[in-house]
Amino acid sequence: MIRLGVIGTNWITERFLEAAKHIEDLSLTAVYSRTEEKAKEFASKYEVHTIFTNLEEMAASDEIDAVYIASPNSHHCRQAVLFLQNKKHVLCEKPMASNASEVKEMIEAAQQNGVLLMEAMKSTLMPNFESVRSNLGKIGKIRRFTGSFCQYSSRYDAYKQGTVLNAFNPEFSSGSLMDLGIYVLYPLVALFGKPNKVQASGTMLESGVDGQGTILLSYDEMEAVVMFSKITESNQPAEIQGELGSILIKKISGPQAVDIQYRDGTADNVSVKQDMPSMYYEAKEFVELIQQGKTESDINSFSNSLLTMEIMDEARRQIGTVFPADRL
């Protein structure tokens, strides 16, 4: 049994735990929050008796084997490294860190201590993403990838009224690229690797983060367009265009359906059954890797996480988004 601690008592942690309850070999045993009251309140929902308000104590505890980190982006590196140095396995919410230098520090800590570090990018571990990968050959030479994740933020109305919450605060390494664009970039990197060139543009908000943006990525024989926004809404599917046809992916952030439309007018639905909550598959991968004694996922690998962050660093440089973490 893998004993899990969680950092973060927000909705995403609740959603993760709801999915993880389907995994027999994973047990929630500890909760961290900055305040004892919030830690107790969250722990009581899950009948957990061990709480922490001190991260150093939690990291040193022999009551947990692994930790799920769902704190603000700017805290990920410091918290992950602390637990990795205490030989705890780490599943860290996306984006893994504020920038590539932090990702490198986290990878180094994992390698030095022989424990697992994995970015919690759920989409690339879902069965429908594997269907995309395994069916790429059906559409011939790949020429273009287009992906969009534009979701009007529930916190944008508050922002327009003058209240800058975490989602629009550069202190927390946030913004539309970090919080939403990564959902399109990571699958692109997982499928096609490193681009030759990155060109980015975006709409900067007065708070200092990007409200929306677009990235054009050039490869040897194909190009990709990635769009992201917290200030507009879109239901546009992702598309991979080949010389023989196109693969359409409904909801790139958590592939729900995969269809091939061939140039000759025929079509093929290659969606596969996904009867578990979307975050179940990342939790399952994390547990199985620990059980196998592995310190890295083949899919959500160190190289994929680092390359994705390097692309985002370059995109932010071009758009003009700077975080406090970049100055350290």
Side-chain angles (χ1 to χ4, degrees), residues 5 7 32 54-61 64 66-67 69 77-90 113 115:
I7 299 173
Y32 166 84
N54 181 291
L55 279 174
E56 285 76 15
E57 290 179 7
M58 185 180 186
S61 170
I64 63 170
V67 66
I69 298 176
C77 177
R78 179 180 61 83
Q79 293 174 345
V81 169
L82 174 64
F83 281 84
L84 292 166
Q85 289 175 338
N86 279 271
K87 300 193 182 301
K88 302 294 193 291
H89 305 289
V90 173
N113 290 281
V115 285

Side-chain angles (χ1 to χ4, degrees), residues 22-244:
H22 297 282
I23 299 173
E24 292 182 0
D25 296 332
L26 187 65
S27 173
L28 176 64
T29 57
V31 171
Y32 166 84
S33 181
R34 287 173 296 173
T35 66
E36 186 175 348
E37 181 183 2
K38 184 171 279 189
K40 284 182 175 178
E41 179 186 349
F42 191 88
S44 67
K45 292 182 187 178
Y46 299 94
E47 299 180 351
V48 172
H49 305 294
T50 303
I51 65 166
F52 293 94
T53 56
N54 181 291
L55 279 174
E56 285 76 15
E57 290 179 7
M58 185 180 186
S61 170
D62 59 5
E63 294 188 43
I64 63 170
D65 307 303
V67 66
Y68 168 70
I69 298 176
S71 55
N73 303 337
S74 56
H75 297 335
H76 288 179
C77 177
R78 179 180 61 83
Q79 293 174 345
V81 169
L82 174 64
F83 281 84
L84 292 166
Q85 289 175 338
N86 279 271
K87 300 193 182 301
K88 302 294 193 291
H89 305 289
V90 173
L91 177 62
C92 187
E93 260 308 326
K94 57 88 220 151
M96 189 183 278
S98 298
N99 52 45
S101 63
E102 288 190 347
V103 173
K104 290 176 183 177
E105 183 181 349
M106 295 162 70
I107 292 171
E108 187 176 317
Q111 291 174 330
Q112 287 178 348
N113 290 281
V115 285
L116 171 64
L117 169 66
M118 191 181 91
E119 188 164 9
M121 175 55 68
K122 64 178 183 180
S123 57
T124 44
L125 295 166
M126 293 174 68
N128 271 321
F129 183 78
E130 180 52 39
S131 178
V132 172
R133 187 195 299 275
S134 61
N135 283 286
L136 280 177
K138 294 182 178 179
I139 61 171
K141 185 178 287 293
I142 308 298
R143 291 302 190 184
R144 185 185 299 274
F145 171 101
T146 59
S148 169
F149 191 7
C150 301
Q151 183 173 279
Y152 189 93
S153 173
S154 59
R155 296 164 179 82
Y156 186 49
D157 288 337
Y159 175 85
K160 290 190 288 185
Q161 296 299 318
T163 302
V164 181
L165 300 172
N166 289 10
F168 292 99
N169 189 341
E171 293 287 329
F172 296 103
S173 304
S174 58
S176 64
L177 170 61
M178 297 292 281
D179 296 340
L180 301 183
I182 188 172
Y183 275 110
V184 191
L185 281 171
Y186 204 106
L188 171 68
V189 166
L191 290 172
F192 303 110
K194 185 177 182 178
N196 299 324
K197 187 178 179 181
V198 174
Q199 297 170 269
S201 62
T203 302
M204 288 291 293
L205 302 177
E206 289 183 1
S207 67
V209 301
D210 57 297
Q212 66 178 9
T214 303
I215 306 175
L216 175 63
L217 305 103
S218 304
Y219 291 79
D220 286 344
E221 296 183 304
M222 64 167 278
E223 59 183 30
V225 181
V226 168
M227 294 166 283
F228 44 92
S229 175
K230 282 189 165 186
I231 58 177
T232 61
E233 188 88 16
S234 174
N235 294 300
Q236 179 179 332
E239 183 180 36
I240 303 172
Q241 298 176 18
E243 294 186 353
L244 300 179

Side-chain angles (χ1 to χ4, degrees), residues 285-321:
E285 171 86 350
F286 185 64
V287 168
E288 289 179 349
L289 289 170
I290 293 173
Q291 291 174 331
Q292 294 164 11
K294 295 185 177 179
T295 56
E296 180 182 2
S297 168
D298 290 336
I299 302 168
N300 289 7
S301 62
F302 293 161
S303 60
N304 283 344
S305 291
L306 180 57
L307 177 53
T308 300
M309 187 58 71
E310 288 173 340
I311 292 170
M312 294 203 295
D313 281 358
E314 176 59 21
R316 284 198 298 113
R317 186 189 68 78
Q318 294 181 27
I319 293 171
T321 311

Side-chain angles (χ1 to χ4, degrees), residues 266-292:
T266 59
D268 188 9
N269 184 305
V270 293
S271 305
V272 293
K273 186 177 181 181
Q274 291 179 166
D275 52 3
M276 288 293 187
S278 61
M279 296 179 81
Y280 163 82
Y281 303 100
E282 68 185 56
K284 180 173 178 283
E285 171 86 350
F286 185 64
V287 168
E288 289 179 349
L289 289 170
I290 293 173
Q291 291 174 331
Q292 294 164 11

